[in-house]
Amino acid sequence: MYSIYARVNGLSSFWSTCMMVLLAAVALSSFVFTASPTGKIDLASLKVYNTKAKRYPFKQEEIGFVKFNITADLRPLFNWNTKQLFVYLEAEYTNGQGVNNSVVLWDRIVRRKEDANIVQSSRNKYKFRELSQSFKNVSPAEFSLKYNVMPYVGLLTYGEAARTTGFEMPEALDAVS
Ligand SMILES: *[C@@H]1O[C@H](CO)[C@@H](O)[C@H](O)[C@H]1NC(C)=O
Ligand SMILES: *[C@@H]1O[C@H](CO)[C@@H](O)[C@H](O)[C@H]1NC(C)=O
């Protein structure tokens, strides 16, 4: 009885050790097969409108509207240890108070290599707003396309596929209501 236990125990710890070594090897292989694909962001339009802030009816809030084209072939990021990609477009600028802000405008989860060649013509999916409620005095905004690679085994990795030069935020227009 005892010896069977000992054997089963010994076998299972042997298998756990094998699995650990295998998983570590898979995780490490991700570092060997790193790809840094590049893409392109074209801004089609960048506008700012005045709207009424919901919580303070007599205050105005400025909201940005961005139309953009993205092309990025992220297929090289798929290897046997890639579960999925999280791809997002960010606006980055420094506001009037000297605080660096980055606002996620659009994102997508890519689960299959076939879907990783991104050609997208779109507008911001999430609201582009400044905490101070105004884009006056902010630095020119750069737009960047970033990705997180989520592996089956190991750590998330981050990368940047494209970045624009700085765009001056335009003067706010009055929204037609
Ligand atoms: C964005 O893509 C659309 C449709 O493919 C095209 O008509 C437009 O000229 C493009 N704009 C820019 C700024 O590249
Ligand atoms: C803001 O970003 C700029 C450019 O990336 C950097 O030089 C600066 O140190 C940042 N400032 C703060 C307060 O993080």
Side-chain angles (χ1 to χ4, degrees), residues 92-94 98-101 142 163:
E92 298 169 22
Y93 60 86
T94 308
V99 179
N100 284 347
N101 260 347
E142 291 183 6
R163 174 174 289 272

Side-chain angles (χ1 to χ4, degrees), residues 90-156:
E90 235 177 33
E92 298 169 22
Y93 60 86
T94 308
N95 74 10
Q97 288 81 50
V99 179
N100 284 347
N101 260 347
S102 49
V103 185
V104 174
L105 301 177
W106 172 91
D107 62 8
R108 174 180 290 174
I109 290 170
V110 181
R111 295 203 168 84
R112 302 185 310 165
K113 187 175 185 177
E114 305 88 278
D115 300 330
N117 188 14
I118 295 171
V119 179
Q120 178 77 30
S121 180
S122 188
R123 63 182 66 211
N124 56 302
K125 183 168 151 188
Y126 304 112
K127 218 172 206 180
F128 184 14
R129 53 204 292 229
E130 204 334 82
L131 281 176
S132 68
Q133 304 187 317
S134 169
F135 289 102
K136 281 193 193 79
N137 304 321
V138 307
S139 71
E142 291 183 6
F143 295 84
S144 61
L145 184 67
K146 294 180 177 164
Y147 54 81
N148 298 349
V149 183
M150 195 181 291
Y152 285 106
V153 183
L155 300 173
L156 267 182

Side-chain angles (χ1 to χ4, degrees), residues 45-55 59-67 93 103 105 124-136 143 169-175:
S45 84
L46 175 60
K47 289 184 179 144
V48 176
Y49 283 102
N50 272 317
T51 65
K52 284 208 169 71
K54 271 204 187 102
R55 285 170 52 196
K59 253 194 186 168
Q60 297 258 298
E61 181 182 34
E62 295 181 2
I63 309 266
F65 290 86
V66 189
K67 285 187 192 164
Y93 60 86
V103 185
L105 301 177
N124 56 302
K125 183 168 151 188
Y126 304 112
K127 218 172 206 180
F128 184 14
R129 53 204 292 229
E130 204 334 82
L131 281 176
S132 68
Q133 304 187 317
S134 169
F135 289 102
K136 281 193 193 79
F143 295 84
M169 292 301 287
E171 188 100 10
L173 303 168
D174 281 322

Side-chain angles (χ1 to χ4, degrees), residues 42-44 69 121:
D42 284 311
L43 274 212
N69 292 354
S121 180

